[in-house]
Amino acid sequence: MKTVKRKSAGTHFSMCVQPAFIVGTNNEDGTYNFAPITWVSVTNEKDSDYLLTISMFGTKKTKQNVLRTGILSVNLVSTDMLELMDYFGTHHAKDGKKDAVPYNVSKGEAVDVPILDASRWVYECEVVQSVETGESTTFFCRIKNVQIDEQLECDDTFDINLTKLDPVVYSGMYHSIGKLLGKIGDFTK
Ligand SMILES: Cc1cc2nc3c(=O)[nH]c(=O)nc-3n(C[C@H](O)[C@H](O)[C@H](O)COP(=O)(O)O)c2cc1C
């Protein structure tokens, strides 16, 4: 394997390869709000009890709603949703309802959260713990339900072909993914 020649770049290069999700929340007046959140990862308590870890900085409406209600939907963004994500991410609920780009919304089945009809993979979540780090809050979110596109065939959580979900990957810029390369163990002799 080749050796890469690197240079020290400074700590502000904080790039992480991030999955793109749009978080749906309930406003105080019963309306809904959506915003892209890509600081999303996963951990587990035991066995199949997975928790999403979701970080939000500042005082954005989405964060205020999660702090107030403790519930949220986490909608995977496929490339056909890019315009919607970009719109949600460049507009703030405090400046008015985000309805300049058309989209349809349903209610969660297990949790009373707004869900984007366009998303092929949706988590309905409830916050069980949160950790403050300066101006950011990281929410540990119990997954109460997962809604999956009926067309997606998968046997278990290790059998998900991301090329079919066509997710947006974020690094500060938007990307799509390339090929399916294999499964765990395929590259071990
Ligand atoms: C691609 C993308 C990813 C983002 N990821 C995050 C994130 O992980 N955490 C966060 O706090 N804000 C994130 N933001 C910023 C919010 O989405 C943005 O501030 C949004 O306008 C907030 O909307 P709201 O005020 O209606 O809640 C992201 C924005 C974009 C465009």
Side-chain angles (χ1 to χ4, degrees), residues 33-39 55-57 60-62 85 88-93 98 170 174:
N33 188 45
F34 290 96
I37 300 291
T38 57
W39 291 350
S55 259
M56 299 180 201
F57 67 88
K60 55 178 61 69
K61 188 71 181 173
T62 299
M85 173 164 75
F88 285 149
T90 50
H91 292 75
H92 311 289
K98 300 183 194 179
Y170 183 64
Y174 303 124

Side-chain angles (χ1 to χ4, degrees), residues 138-157:
T138 301
F139 299 103
F140 289 74
C141 306
R142 191 179 310 290
I143 298 167
K144 304 293 282 185
N145 189 29
V146 187
Q147 296 189 25
I148 303 176
D149 182 347
E150 283 179 0
Q151 313 244 317
L152 185 76
E153 288 170 12
C154 51
D155 291 336
D156 58 52
T157 195

Side-chain angles (χ1 to χ4, degrees), residues 17-103:
V17 180
Q18 295 163 51
F21 289 96
I22 295 173
V23 165
T25 55
N26 294 308
N27 298 320
E28 296 95 325
D29 63 1
T31 59
Y32 47 75
N33 188 45
F34 290 96
I37 300 291
T38 57
W39 291 350
V40 176
S41 191
V42 69
T43 185
N44 85 329
E45 288 180 309
K46 62 175 169 49
D47 306 325
S48 295
D49 292 338
Y50 291 103
L51 301 170
L52 294 185
T53 57
I54 304 180
S55 259
M56 299 180 201
F57 67 88
T59 57
K60 55 178 61 69
K61 188 71 181 173
T62 299
K63 181 172 159 183
Q64 291 172 24
N65 283 347
V66 174
L67 286 168
R68 195 186 71 259
T69 65
I71 53 175
L72 62 160
S73 72
V74 185
N75 304 258
L76 184 72
V77 178
S78 300
T79 58
D80 58 353
M81 297 169 64
L82 199 45
E83 183 190 5
L84 191 59
M85 173 164 75
D86 206 34
Y87 169 69
F88 285 149
T90 50
H91 292 75
H92 311 289
K94 67 177 166 52
D95 299 328
K97 193 166 164 38
K98 300 183 194 179
D99 57 4
V101 173
Y103 57 95

Side-chain angles (χ1 to χ4, degrees), residues 96-112:
K97 193 166 164 38
K98 300 183 194 179
D99 57 4
V101 173
Y103 57 95
N104 294 316
V105 177
S106 303
K107 274 283 173 203
E109 288 174 12
V111 185
D112 182 23

Side-chain angles (χ1 to χ4, degrees), residues 90-138:
T90 50
H91 292 75
H92 311 289
K94 67 177 166 52
D95 299 328
K97 193 166 164 38
K98 300 183 194 179
D99 57 4
V101 173
Y103 57 95
N104 294 316
V105 177
S106 303
K107 274 283 173 203
E109 288 174 12
V111 185
D112 182 23
V113 283
I115 282 175
L116 289 173
D117 290 354
S119 180
R120 298 179 207 173
W121 189 289
V122 180
Y123 298 99
E124 299 175 43
C125 292
E126 198 175 82
V127 175
V128 291
Q129 202 175 327
S130 56
V131 176
E132 309 271 336
T133 46
E135 292 178 29
S136 292
T137 305
T138 301

